[in-house]
Amino acid sequence: MKAITNHKANDSGKNENRTFPNDTKKRARSFKGAISRRSFLGTSLALGAGTIGAGLLPNIRTAEALRGGLTAGDAALLRFPAALELIEADFWIQYNELGGIQDAEVPGGTGNPDYTEALAQLDEDMDQYIHDNTDDEITHHQFLNAYLMSKGAAPANLDPFRTLMGSTATGVNTDLIGHRLTNLTQLTIDTSWWTRYRDDSHNPDLDPNHVFPQAVPTLGVNQHTAIPRTDADTTDPTFLQAIANTAGFHFPTIEQGGNSLYPSLAQRATHTEVLRILISIGPTETMHFQTWSDKAGNAPPLTDVIDPVTGVSVTFPDLDVPDELLKKNLIMPEPCPFLDRSLPIVSIIRPTNTQGVAMGALQFLTDMGLFMGQTPAFFAYMAGLARDADHAHHGRI
């Protein structure tokens, strides 16, 4: 992050990935004075750490939310995405340290030339896009938390959970080793979004049981690293390209989630300003998604590349094919059924069903392995935020 409070690293590697309750799978700035984007995380969020330290579960439904007309439900609708944006910023910062551009806007790390070169096989501007996406996510969580605090509501704060190791390869910010929120080295990536956005006959909102094919089936099983774990991962150019390809598909997989989350949550908002916030941030996630889905299609085909550490293999197919479900340059959302099948098909974001969307998003990230090694307290905190967001309803005080 741009600033970080000092936390003692725990031996989190012994913790198992957590699963959320099965019922969730049913469907599943202004302050006085300016807030510096460079200092917010290390100062105002540190303030929130005391609150969470006193009780990690987010039962923050007090008079917090009523100053300025912000209901408890609206506060929950902003606090949950604020937490997710903190999570996104954490892993995008890791990507930027190794394969992006390190500058005054997104400081930290020194870059890994070999990894950066492998990413450039997908697009020569990958480092710039990674930098800009990282900066965007940092501004998202800073704005959301600042807005919450300006209304007297508690912000999302994940500082107590910065305990994961992360990469030790050349280029990382060594001060953050052992202080990460997310794990990019044990990912299981669902690439069914690729065909979902190319299918003109099915919409997960109308066809919740339809199985969309995976673009890269081998990424959807076992665990894969999207960053070099150590310098040893950069010695074999083929394996390093597989790591970069994995990152290339992880980028849009993450961003398509925000692409759906914001319009889904917006339907529950009561205050028009909260609605405005959600529908203003959401489209930037869509811009990220389309950019990254375009770049993922350029991943060099690779066959049966073996991870020398885990023994897991991965194959990246050639997606320059005529099949419209897989064709790489079909990056505009194909029209699909919406609301009712008696209506004409239409090009839309999907899914946008609001029922259980927060807990569903959290389960999706958990199943991905992004939180592998996190503590039970982390899962309890995030589940509480998700439940509060899912319980929010338009018009409820």
Side-chain angles (χ1 to χ4, degrees):
M1 292 292 177
K2 301 195 175 185
I4 184 168
T5 51
N6 188 21
H7 296 291
K8 195 172 184 178
N10 296 330
D11 182 13
S12 59
K14 298 179 182 177
N15 294 300
E16 297 179 354
N17 204 27
R18 303 291 171 181
T19 302
F20 290 93
N22 289 333
D23 60 19
T24 64
K25 294 186 179 179
K26 293 177 182 176
R27 264 300 300 145
R29 153 171 133 221
S30 112
F31 276 139
K32 292 179 181 177
I35 297 178
S36 167
R37 288 176 53 195
R38 306 291 167 229
S39 64
F40 181 81
L41 186 58
T43 55
S44 27
L45 279 194
L47 250 158
T51 305
I52 294 176
L56 287 170
L57 291 177
N59 284 324
I60 319 171
R61 306 183 194 204
T62 61
E64 63 168 36
L66 299 179
R67 193 184 342 162
L70 191 63
T71 69
D74 279 355
L77 291 173
L78 297 179
R79 191 178 297 111
F80 179 68
L84 292 191
E85 297 288 4
L86 279 163
I87 287 166
E88 277 199 273
D90 179 83
F91 68 71
W92 275 113
I93 285 169
Q94 295 180 63
Y95 281 129
N96 192 70
E97 290 174 9
L98 290 164
I101 296 174
Q102 307 80 37
D103 58 14
E105 193 170 53
V106 186
T110 57
N112 186 294
D114 293 331
Y115 181 59
T116 303
E117 183 178 353
L119 287 168
Q121 300 308 304
L122 282 69
D123 191 284
E124 62 182 6
D125 291 323
M126 288 289 277
D127 56 351
Q128 184 67 60
Y129 295 151
I130 291 171
H131 169 280
D132 291 353
N133 206 140
T134 306
D135 187 44
D136 288 354
E137 309 304 355
I138 292 171
T139 67
H140 286 171
H141 75 70
Q142 290 181 347
F143 177 86
L144 289 168
N145 271 333
Y147 182 84
L148 284 164
M149 294 174 70
S150 75
K151 299 296 183 180
N157 176 41
L158 301 180
D159 281 353
F161 311 118
R162 298 183 184 279
T163 60
L164 302 187
M165 179 60 64
S167 171
T168 60
T170 296
V172 301
N173 182 348
T174 57
D175 290 340
L176 295 186
I177 295 175
H179 300 287
R180 308 292 189 179
L181 283 173
T182 57
N183 185 343
L184 295 176
T185 68
Q186 295 175 273
L187 298 176
T188 303
I189 303 176
D190 180 349
T191 57
S192 63
W193 55 267
W194 182 278
T195 56
R196 184 196 334 139
Y197 271 96
R198 289 163 170 78
D199 189 336
D200 64 1
S201 300
H202 301 93
N203 179 338
D205 286 334
L206 295 178
D207 310 297
N209 297 319
H210 179 75
V211 178
F212 294 91
Q214 302 279 329
V216 186
T218 53
L219 282 181
V221 295
N222 300 314
Q223 297 172 355
H224 308 269
T225 185
I227 54 175
R229 295 159 295 200
T230 67
D231 285 340
D233 283 342
T234 66
T235 59
D236 179 349
T238 302
F239 179 56
L240 183 58
Q241 189 61 58
I243 294 175
N245 285 8
T246 300
F249 277 92
H250 185 231
F251 299 166
T253 299
I254 285 290
E255 297 302 323
Q256 61 85 28
N259 186 52
S260 286
L261 179 68
Y262 279 95
S264 298
L265 292 180
Q267 297 171 64
R268 294 176 172 266
T270 293
H271 198 287
T272 55
E273 194 165 73
V274 173
L275 175 63
R276 182 181 181 186
I277 291 170
L278 293 170
I279 66 174
S280 296
I281 293 179
T284 68
E285 302 289 340
T286 304
M287 295 171 74
H288 297 160
F289 170 51
Q290 188 173 47
T291 297
W292 292 125
S293 60
D294 184 33
K295 304 316 169 192
N298 298 330
L302 298 170
T303 302
D304 197 22
V305 180
I306 307 297
D307 186 324
V309 174
T310 66
V312 168
S313 71
V314 64
T315 292
F316 292 90
D318 186 351
L319 295 170
D320 190 8
V321 294
D323 184 348
E324 290 196 355
L325 274 181
L326 296 172
K327 191 174 183 180
K328 71 177 189 177
N329 62 355
L330 294 181
I331 62 170
M332 310 290 183
E334 286 295 305
C336 72
F338 183 50
L339 298 181
D340 190 288
R341 288 191 176 276
S342 66
L343 298 170
I345 60 174
V346 59
S347 180
I348 54 162
I349 300 301
R350 65 262 206 182
T352 55
N353 193 334
T354 190
Q355 185 67 33
V357 63
M359 195 67 80
L362 188 55
Q363 187 68 56
F364 176 76
L365 297 177
T366 302
D367 292 344
M368 183 185 294
L370 194 63
F371 308 135
M372 196 75 72
Q374 267 293 358
T375 64
F378 169 84
F379 290 100
Y381 177 71
M382 290 301 303
L385 293 185
R387 279 194 300 268
D388 284 352
D390 280 340
H391 290 160
H393 286 284
H394 175 77
R396 178 181 291 178
I397 300 301

